[in-house]
Amino acid sequence: MTRITFRGQSGPRAALAALAAVLLLGAAEPAATPSREDLAKNNKMFLQGAIKALKWEQPAEPLKIVGPIYFVGTQGLGSYLFNTSEGLILMGTGTPASGPMIAASIRKLGFRPEDIKVIVTWHAHADHAGAIAYFKQLSGAQLAVMEGDVAAMEDGGKSDFHYGWDWKTMGWPPANVDRVLHDGDEVTLGDVTLTALNTPGHTRGDTTWTTKVADGGKSYAVVWPDGMSVNPGYRVTTQPSYPSIGDDYRRTLARLQGLKPDIWLVSHTERFDLEAKRAQAAKTGAEAFVDPDGYVTYLAAQGKAFEDEVVRELAAPPGDDGVRRGPAPDRQP
C-alpha cells in the first residue's frame, strides 16, 4: 500500500509530496497544492506534476525479483523483463523519455534489449506505453495488446476516451499491434507463460497479468493488478466517461480480489513499496516480495478511492464541470 508522509517537509518538497497524495489516492489537498479539479482541467499540469512528484523519469537500479523476472523500470514506473529460454519479454515501459533508461538497465543486468521478442503492457497511456515504439524499433519485438486498447496504442492516444482530444499533451509515439489479445489469452515465450485478464475501468483494454515462476525450489504465483486507478477528471457515475465504466470498475475490483498471489507487482513502484522490498531482497532474495496481505490492503485502498470518487460526483451540483473529455475529433465514434 502507498505510504506518504509530510513530516519534516516544507516548501517545494512538501508541495510535491502533497501532489503525490492527490495523484495516487485522491486524497484531500492542502490549499497550496493543485486540487483534483485543477488537475482534471489542466492535463499538462497533471502530467508534469506526476513526472516530477512521482519520479517517473528518474533512473533506478535494476534488480532480480524472482525466477526469470527482473525490474528494469524508473524510480516511479514499473517495467519488467522476463528472461526466457527463447529470448526476452518486456512488460511495460515508462514515458517516451524512459526508453534509453530502461535499455541501460537491461544491459546492466547482462541482457541485450535487442533480444526482446515480445512486448506487453497494462494499458494504453503514455506512462506505460510511451517507449514501446522505441523498443519495437530497437528489437523488432512483437507487441501484444488487449482488444479495447489496440486503437489507442496504434494512434498514440488519440482514441483514448478521456485524453484523446489532448493527445499532443497526453499522447506518445504510436506502435503497431502485432497480436490482439482477449480476456484469458496466454502469451508464451520459451518457458514463460503470461495470462492476460481484461480488467477494464482505467481504460477499456486494461490488462492484469498473471504467471507462475520457480525460484530456489519454490513456486510463486505472481500478479500485476491493474485497472482500478481513477484519474482526475474521470466520471464514473453521472455523465460517465464511457458507458458502464462504473460497473467495469466494480467488476474489476471483484476479479482482482479473487486472485491470490504470493508476489504482486505494479506499474507504479510506490504502490507496492519497491524500495523497501529492494532493501529486504538484498538479505532474503525473492522472499522479500512475498506479500499476500499487502495485496489485500492495496486493493482495499483502490476500492475506497473509487467509492470516494462516487461520493464526490454524487455530491457535486449538476451541470458542466469545465473538464474536457473524449477522443480526438478525427477519432470520434
Side-chain angles (χ1 to χ4, degrees):
M1 177 180 176
T2 304
R3 295 191 290 273
I4 299 174
T5 178
F6 302 97
R7 186 176 300 137
Q9 297 182 357
S10 61
R13 291 187 66 187
L16 288 176
L19 177 60
V22 175
L23 292 168
L24 289 169
L25 302 174
E29 59 279 342
T33 302
S35 67
R36 284 182 66 84
E37 289 74 21
D38 294 331
L39 298 173
K41 295 174 183 178
N42 190 330
N43 289 328
K44 186 175 182 180
M45 178 190 295
F46 171 64
L47 183 61
Q48 292 183 346
I51 287 172
K52 188 172 183 180
L54 303 177
K55 302 179 180 179
W56 284 2
E57 294 181 354
Q58 294 186 30
E61 282 293 309
L63 78 154
K64 180 176 179 177
I65 294 176
V66 59
I69 305 172
Y70 297 80
F71 173 82
V72 292
T74 65
Q75 288 190 37
L77 295 174
S79 185
Y80 301 90
L81 190 73
F82 300 76
N83 179 29
T84 85
S85 58
E86 295 183 7
L88 304 173
I89 301 173
L90 180 65
M91 178 185 289
T93 70
T95 66
S98 72
M101 286 182 273
I102 295 170
S105 289
I106 293 171
R107 295 188 194 282
K108 193 168 186 177
L109 289 168
F111 303 114
R112 299 174 69 251
E114 294 84 359
D115 293 333
I116 296 170
K117 305 299 184 186
V118 177
I119 301 172
V120 298
T121 193
W122 302 277
H123 58 268
H125 278 165
D127 49 342
H128 308 300
I132 286 178
Y134 171 89
F135 281 103
K136 285 205 74 178
Q137 182 175 11
L138 182 65
S139 66
Q142 301 289 294
L143 173 61
V145 172
M146 191 65 68
E147 181 178 22
D149 275 9
V150 169
M153 187 68 69
E154 293 193 329
D155 63 26
K158 286 185 176 182
S159 299
D160 185 81
F161 66 79
H162 184 77
Y163 296 117
W165 69 272
D166 197 16
W167 63 271
K168 291 184 179 179
T169 299
M170 301 300 284
W172 62 91
N176 290 331
V177 174
D178 302 290
R179 179 184 173 189
V180 177
L181 299 174
H182 304 90
D183 184 43
D185 280 354
E186 293 183 343
V187 174
T188 298
L189 184 67
D191 51 355
V192 170
T193 294
L194 305 173
T195 300
L197 306 179
N198 188 198
T199 49
H202 190 60
T203 69
R204 286 187 177 94
D206 210 300
T207 306
T208 289
W209 293 96
T210 72
T211 193
K212 289 187 177 180
V213 299
D215 190 298
K218 295 183 178 180
S219 178
Y220 298 89
V222 187
V223 170
W224 288 261
D226 211 72
M228 284 301 299
S229 295
V230 183
N231 279 11
Y234 275 31
R235 298 281 305 183
V236 301
T237 55
T238 56
Q239 299 177 320
S241 294
Y242 69 81
S244 81
I245 187 173
D247 291 338
D248 279 352
Y249 271 109
R250 289 192 170 95
R251 282 191 291 264
T252 284
L253 179 61
R255 191 169 197 186
L256 295 179
Q257 288 172 331
L259 303 177
K260 306 298 179 184
D262 302 303
I263 293 173
W264 57 286
L265 307 166
V266 190
S267 57
H268 291 267
T269 60
E270 72 287 327
R271 296 184 180 183
F272 68 105
D273 209 351
L274 172 63
E275 289 312 306
K277 289 174 178 173
R278 178 199 293 274
Q280 183 61 33
K283 304 174 184 177
T284 62
E287 288 295 310
F289 290 92
V290 175
D291 185 19
D293 292 339
Y295 181 74
V296 173
T297 302
Y298 171 70
L299 291 184
Q302 293 273 284
K304 182 179 184 304
F306 169 77
E307 295 301 339
D308 287 347
E309 175 60 27
V310 172
V311 171
R312 272 195 297 269
E313 290 182 18
L314 294 178
D320 186 359
D321 61 3
V323 177
R324 289 188 65 182
R325 304 175 175 88
D330 64 343
R331 296 299 191 275
Q332 294 286 347

